[in-house]
Amino acid sequence: MQDQLDYLAKRAGAGKLSRRDFMGKASALGVSAAAASTMFASAAYADGPKKGGDLKIGSTGGESTNSLDPATWASQVPYHNGRQFGDTLVEVSPTGEIEPRLATSVESTPDAKTWMFKLRQGVEFHNGKTMTGDDVLKTMERHSNEDSKSGALGVMKNIESMKVDGDTFSITLKDANADLPYLMSDYHLVIQPGGGMDNPAAGIGTGPYKMEVNEPGVRHMYSKHANYWGDDAHFDSVEILAINDATARTAALQSGQVQLINRLEPKIAGLLARAPGVSVQSTPGRGHYVFIMHTDTAPFDNNELRLALKYAINREEMVEKILRGYGSVGNDMPINAAYPLFDSSIEQRTYDIDKAKEHYAKSGHDGSPIILRTADGAFPGAVDAAQLFQQSAAAAGIPLEIKREPNDGYWSEVWNVQPFCASYWGGRPVQDQMYSTAYLSSADWNDTNFNNPEFDAKLIEAKAELDVTKRKALYSEMGMLVRDQGGLICPMFNDFIDGVSDKLVGWDVDPNGELMNGQVTRKLWFA
């Protein structure tokens, strides 16, 4: 048997046997799935990553309104664009540690108020300019500016001052924060020449791939950056195709038009997993599918109505019918057990018709239709989820009306604009970043317009609290405030479900985001 396994391993290492075929043949020889997977990985990595080839990704979340300005990125295609042409100072590893990127090391003063990032030297932008500390400083200044409307504005609020001294970029905080390095991994904080002050949408960065074609809502083409500072990118070119329709995206993967797709719909994931030439990669993490209400806009400025809607949603049914088991039940807060300081003792909210009726009566709502806006692109199954919500709310006498919006323009014309809509969040590595980005009253991406002075005060206190037990207690109290007073309805936490061609090698589980936290073009290669 060993001779047969060695033969299979050699063929796999030479790229002549797909993972699926290797697993099947090894299983027939009596090898367990876990052992076969390890053998295949060892064979694939034996000679190191192979260079070359043209990779194509089919992604939802592409719109004609998309920009290359990192401050504006709100959907998947812009996010993946940034992973091609840009780099942040640090990244978060699949196991939750800080990894160096444009900063080679990070240190802090004992009180965690001043943080020093030693900058990588000899890094070249795509326009030939060498990266300096001034580029880093101006990038951070731009995202700290209220006028930038940056998605990272919330995480920059605690910064008192910044400076550059030689090869070191320093940040001094108003209040201590042990999680500051995690905040600097925010995907909006791509370092740009001159900070992007003059032309933030130029698409010029230090990343492994250089922009060649930019057709928002259609496609984005990249070539390998000849003077890229790293050695973690292996393709000659990368093309990102905006394919918002889930069926078309899946068909593109099966036909070989693309080698990777995101947002695979749970209802077809099981079927696709049995198809030849592709595999389904499902990764639990911090992502969540939500319905968001503006707490300062009628009728959602009435907390009794918000509570009525929260009790009127059947979470278990939604996880079963929308996620098909690829996820878990949510609790009207953006935090789950994937976060290290999660409080599992917080009571789980459940579907309760009597409580929904009680809060609805207390709200004094006039019975007019409550409009919930959604679109196919809001999250996989968003339209079906909205209809399930409508049905469960009707049982409590709550008149929910569904308005289906077009995918194109959804993230610029509906999300963060209309008072009640479907949305999603990919989550963040730590609670401070999640709360600072989306629930701090002054955050630009506070998409529920949550304005709670008690919450803001606890967030500031938690940033400065270095005692883990006390910090966990503060996060628990903040979670309760969001759950009971906020505008977030979070029925479910979703797995990241990606479709991958068997021609690709190097896949690793990363709970930080879809497509290996956007790192597929740096970490995969063709067999």
Side-chain angles (χ1 to χ4, degrees):
M1 184 181 77
Q2 188 59 49
D3 289 343
Q4 292 172 291
L5 286 173
D6 289 342
Y7 173 72
L8 293 178
K10 287 180 181 179
R11 286 183 60 80
K16 296 180 180 180
L17 195 65
S18 71
R19 184 180 189 277
R20 180 188 301 276
D21 290 340
F22 179 87
M23 296 289 286
K25 292 179 184 298
S27 175
L29 292 173
V31 179
S32 70
S37 182
T38 300
M39 291 176 63
F40 180 82
S42 298
Y45 280 88
D47 298 323
K50 294 179 173 61
K51 302 292 185 180
D54 303 314
L55 181 70
K56 293 186 178 183
I57 301 173
S59 175
T60 188
E63 305 171 272
S64 60
T65 54
N66 289 156
S67 168
L68 295 180
D69 177 4
T72 68
W73 295 341
S75 57
Q76 295 90 342
V77 168
Y79 164 75
H80 290 296
N81 278 331
R83 292 305 201 194
Q84 311 319 310
F85 75 77
D87 285 303
T88 50
L89 289 178
V90 294
E91 277 294 342
V92 180
S93 76
T95 53
E97 290 86 24
I98 291 295
E99 289 185 337
R101 295 301 296 175
L102 296 182
T104 57
S105 65
V106 184
E107 296 179 352
S108 76
T109 53
D111 61 1
K113 288 189 71 172
T114 299
W115 290 84
M116 292 76 71
F117 297 80
K118 188 170 184 179
L119 302 179
R120 191 176 299 278
Q121 299 301 292
V123 175
E124 183 181 297
F125 287 110
H126 299 157
N127 62 1
K129 179 184 183 298
T130 299
M131 184 193 78
T132 67
D134 188 60
D135 297 310
V136 176
L137 177 61
K138 287 183 177 177
T139 294
M140 299 304 171
E141 288 177 343
R142 188 170 79 86
H143 288 275
S144 302
N145 188 328
E146 299 278 355
D147 294 336
S148 73
K149 302 295 184 183
S150 173
L153 184 60
V155 305
M156 309 296 282
K157 290 288 185 180
N158 189 37
I159 294 176
E160 182 176 271
S161 64
M162 299 179 285
K163 68 176 184 178
V164 175
D165 183 8
D167 63 355
T168 301
F169 167 66
S170 299
I171 295 175
T172 298
L173 304 173
K174 299 172 186 174
D175 301 285
N177 190 346
D179 286 338
L180 190 276
Y182 289 93
L183 306 190
M184 292 296 102
S185 72
D186 189 296
Y187 65 88
H188 299 93
L189 299 179
V190 165
I191 305 304
Q192 297 177 272
M197 294 286 192
D198 296 330
N199 185 5
I204 296 173
T206 60
Y209 301 101
K210 182 177 180 179
M211 173 67 72
E212 299 291 351
V213 176
N214 178 38
E215 298 178 7
V218 182
R219 70 183 184 122
H220 306 271
M221 188 79 181
Y222 298 87
S223 61
K224 183 70 178 288
H225 177 36
N227 295 327
Y228 173 53
W229 59 269
D231 60 358
D232 58 347
H234 314 299
F235 303 106
D236 293 329
S237 72
V238 173
E239 185 174 9
I240 300 173
L241 299 172
I243 310 177
N244 292 321
D245 182 79
T247 302
R249 202 162 57 251
T250 305
L253 176 67
Q254 290 183 280
S255 68
Q257 180 187 358
V258 300
Q259 291 83 40
L260 290 161
I261 61 172
N262 62 354
R263 290 287 188 93
L264 186 62
E265 290 199 322
K267 63 185 179 183
I268 64 168
L271 292 173
L272 186 65
R274 297 193 291 271
V278 298
S279 62
V280 172
Q281 300 292 344
S282 177
T283 307
R286 307 173 188 90
H288 44 293
Y289 297 157
V290 299
F291 301 103
I292 50 175
M293 304 172 282
H294 287 182
T295 59
D296 59 354
T297 304
F300 311 106
D301 54 353
N302 185 325
N303 194 43
E304 292 293 345
L305 180 65
R306 298 198 298 269
L307 285 170
L309 288 165
K310 291 174 183 179
Y311 280 110
I313 194 165
N314 191 327
R315 301 157 201 279
E316 287 77 10
E317 179 185 42
M318 208 162 280
V319 168
E320 177 188 352
K321 293 183 177 179
I322 302 301
L323 296 185
R324 306 293 180 99
Y326 290 98
S328 58
V329 171
N331 199 20
D332 297 338
M333 62 180 71
I335 307 302
N336 67 353
Y339 288 85
L341 298 183
F342 173 69
D343 183 359
S344 60
S345 70
I346 295 176
E347 183 181 359
Q348 173 65 52
R349 178 167 285 149
T350 59
Y351 179 45
D352 192 321
I353 293 178
D354 291 335
K355 284 187 177 180
K357 288 180 177 179
E358 177 187 345
H359 286 291
Y360 185 63
K362 287 181 179 179
S363 75
H365 186 254
D366 61 9
S368 61
I370 298 171
I371 298 175
L372 169 61
R373 298 170 190 271
T374 186
D376 291 319
F379 59 79
V383 174
D384 291 338
Q387 291 170 346
L388 287 176
F389 191 5
Q390 182 183 41
Q391 294 165 13
S392 61
I398 300 175
L400 209 58
E401 180 179 313
I402 308 303
K403 182 173 176 54
R404 189 169 181 173
E405 301 280 359
N407 287 326
D408 193 47
Y410 188 82
W411 299 108
S412 57
E413 304 299 327
V414 178
W415 175 76
N416 224 0
V417 177
Q418 296 294 339
F420 193 21
C421 74
S423 185
Y424 80 96
W425 279 92
R428 295 295 187 270
V430 290
Q431 292 194 46
D432 176 63
Q433 188 176 7
M434 188 68 241
Y435 283 138
S436 295
T437 300
Y439 298 90
L440 181 68
S441 60
S442 56
D444 197 59
W445 274 19
N446 180 355
D447 58 7
T448 57
N449 293 348
F450 184 55
N451 191 338
N452 187 300
E454 182 183 359
F455 177 90
D456 287 358
K458 289 184 182 297
L459 179 57
I460 293 171
E461 184 181 354
K463 290 176 185 288
E465 181 55 69
L466 302 182
D467 183 284
V468 173
T469 302
K470 293 179 180 178
R471 201 174 195 203
K472 181 177 180 178
L474 286 167
Y475 283 141
S476 177
E477 293 166 11
M478 290 158 60
M480 293 286 285
L481 286 172
V482 171
R483 188 190 76 150
D484 296 337
Q485 299 181 34
L488 175 70
I489 301 174
C490 179
M492 49 189 166
F493 281 82
N494 60 286
D495 291 359
F496 299 111
I497 313 176
D498 303 310
V500 185
S501 167
D502 283 351
K503 294 179 180 179
L504 292 170
V505 177
W507 185 273
D508 192 13
V509 173
D510 192 327
N512 292 304
E514 65 180 30
L515 294 177
M516 294 172 60
N517 197 27
Q519 303 292 338
V520 283
T521 61
R522 302 174 188 240
K523 295 184 176 181
L524 300 185
W525 62 91
F526 283 118

